[in-house]
Amino acid sequence: MRKQLDWCSMRLVEFPIETPVNFQKNTLINLESFLGGGARFSDLGDPRKFSSPAQWLLYWCMAHASDAAVEATSGAKNEDGVSRAFLDELSQQAKTASSFLDGGGGLQIAYNAIFEQCEPAMKEAAVGADILLIVAGSPLISDGLARVFWIQAKRSDSGFNLRFDQENKNGLQVEALSRVHDPIRGAFGLYMQYAKELPYVPSVPVSKLSWTDGKYSADLSAIGVRLPEFLVMCTGKYRNVGSFADIGALKAYLEEVSEMKPLYIVTAMADGPEYSQKLSKNHLLSTISDYYREKLGIAKSHQREKGRERERGFELGM
């Protein structure tokens, strides 16, 4: 069994001395939003500081996934290769979360690697994102079942300088991402950046970007925040931030955004005992896996033999 002390390595949360002050401050503000005022980065290793065990596990799953992205970037992988390393590690960490808490504390994660899709599946041009991340679980999303994150990943050789002037057949990528950014419904659009010289992954919500002056660039050292803190902050309960109440609402939303085009949703699930009847009724991952097995005729025993989590999923809208 993996030791909690090793899993919650302070190496993943401590900032190098050269980290810009504003970036550290922004990240600390996000941290305090879910740990409380006066919180320190050293508190992240203590699950008692979090509002729920699922929130603590989500943070560390994201921290390890970000570290895998940093390593892949240093290994000279291209943008899609880094994103694949990020998602593979996120999936692996979610699966092993039960090493610390039975059933992973109710944490549910699913994703769609949009950057790997081809027609007739939904393409990046439609939503301005190359990763769809779904975070769910009633212990985590207190006023609903799930929230959705549309993520546009960029690989840069210029550190904190984000360029978002990319165009596709539907116009500017940033404009498409802005259209799916809808916190009132429980959906967030954001950029994250892989940079070889940075030991973490900076991020920024698309709502903080401005291009009315014709300049499609932003300084993430000034307006950015570290990815794990931002994403966990977005799972909290806030005024004017909604969530998807059940599986039906989530499926309807995805079909609306994708215009009924298929999505290959991959599930990452912690092993553990059965959840309560109330939770299992709205268990996103069980629903997705069951739908996938029924549609493709894959038995549970055969699915468990598949070593790679990316082979688990289902198609929406077909």
Side-chain angles (χ1 to χ4, degrees):
M1 180 178 291
R2 301 171 66 187
K3 294 182 179 179
Q4 179 176 320
L5 185 62
D6 293 335
W7 199 57
C8 301
S9 171
M10 288 298 103
R11 176 186 66 83
L12 302 181
V13 301
E14 293 174 345
F15 280 116
I17 192 171
E18 66 272 14
T19 302
V21 172
N22 283 341
F23 187 82
Q24 291 192 54
K25 286 183 177 179
N26 295 342
T27 302
L28 184 59
I29 290 171
N30 279 245
L31 174 75
E32 290 180 332
S33 73
F34 58 86
L35 290 189
R40 298 173 296 179
F41 291 108
S42 58
D43 293 331
L44 288 164
D46 187 352
R48 297 170 299 179
K49 300 286 187 179
F50 290 75
S51 63
S52 70
Q55 190 183 65
W56 173 70
L57 290 172
L58 175 62
Y59 179 86
W60 285 100
C61 286
M62 292 300 301
H64 281 279
S66 297
D67 189 52
V70 169
E71 183 176 349
T73 304
S74 299
K77 287 191 176 183
N78 63 17
E79 182 178 293
D80 288 351
V82 179
S83 291
R84 172 42 62 192
F86 173 84
L87 292 175
D88 283 349
E89 186 67 16
L90 179 61
S91 180
Q92 181 60 37
Q93 295 299 332
K95 287 172 60 181
T96 58
S98 58
S99 298
F100 308 102
L101 294 168
D102 285 343
L107 174 63
Q108 304 176 51
I109 296 175
Y111 68 81
N112 175 213
I114 301 172
F115 62 90
E116 292 181 340
Q117 293 186 160
C118 60
E119 296 291 349
M122 185 186 71
K123 297 287 289 176
E124 181 179 337
V127 291
D130 45 25
I131 295 173
L132 164 62
L133 181 65
I134 305 170
V135 176
S138 59
L140 182 64
I141 311 297
S142 59
D143 57 347
L145 172 68
R147 286 187 179 148
V148 168
F149 299 87
W150 300 97
I151 305 174
Q152 175 56 242
K154 294 298 177 189
R155 194 186 192 288
S156 173
D157 293 325
S158 53
F160 287 102
N161 183 42
L162 172 68
R163 296 286 306 176
F164 54 93
D165 56 350
Q166 296 79 15
E167 294 188 42
N168 53 48
K169 63 181 181 180
N170 295 337
L172 286 170
Q173 189 181 79
V174 66
E175 292 175 341
L177 188 61
S178 295
R179 288 193 291 270
V180 296
H181 179 73
D182 193 357
I184 292 177
R185 295 183 71 179
F188 300 84
L190 64 140
Y191 282 86
M192 67 177 180
Q193 181 142 297
Y194 312 131
K196 190 172 183 179
E197 61 268 39
L198 298 180
Y200 41 77
V201 178
S203 66
V204 65
V206 68
S207 58
K208 282 196 172 184
L209 301 178
S210 175
W211 55 94
T212 55
D213 58 359
K215 296 180 180 179
Y216 296 90
S217 64
D219 181 5
L220 296 184
S221 70
I223 65 172
V225 61
R226 191 163 58 183
L227 180 64
E229 281 82 0
F230 175 74
L231 195 136
V232 174
M233 182 271 294
C234 288
T235 65
K237 187 173 184 177
Y238 306 100
R239 182 182 300 177
N240 297 328
V241 175
S243 60
F244 299 95
D246 51 40
I247 296 297
L250 180 60
K251 288 180 67 175
Y253 167 76
L254 292 176
E255 289 177 348
E256 172 193 329
V257 172
S258 67
E259 297 181 341
M260 301 299 290
K261 290 186 177 181
L263 301 173
Y264 188 76
I265 304 292
V266 177
T267 68
M269 181 176 177
D271 298 323
E274 292 295 325
Y275 293 99
S276 67
Q277 183 177 0
K278 180 180 179 181
L279 180 57
S280 63
K281 182 179 179 181
N282 272 332
H283 201 291
L284 172 67
L285 305 187
S286 293
T287 302
I288 288 177
S289 296
D290 290 346
Y291 185 96
Y292 172 65
R293 286 193 294 268
E294 180 180 351
K295 197 170 186 68
L296 298 184
I298 299 176
K300 290 184 179 181
S301 59
H302 177 69
Q303 182 180 356
R304 283 196 296 267
E305 292 172 1
K306 295 292 186 181
R308 305 191 68 180
E309 193 69 12
R310 74 175 72 178
E311 294 177 6
R312 301 174 60 189
F314 82 120
E315 291 181 326
L316 276 174
M318 292 191 70

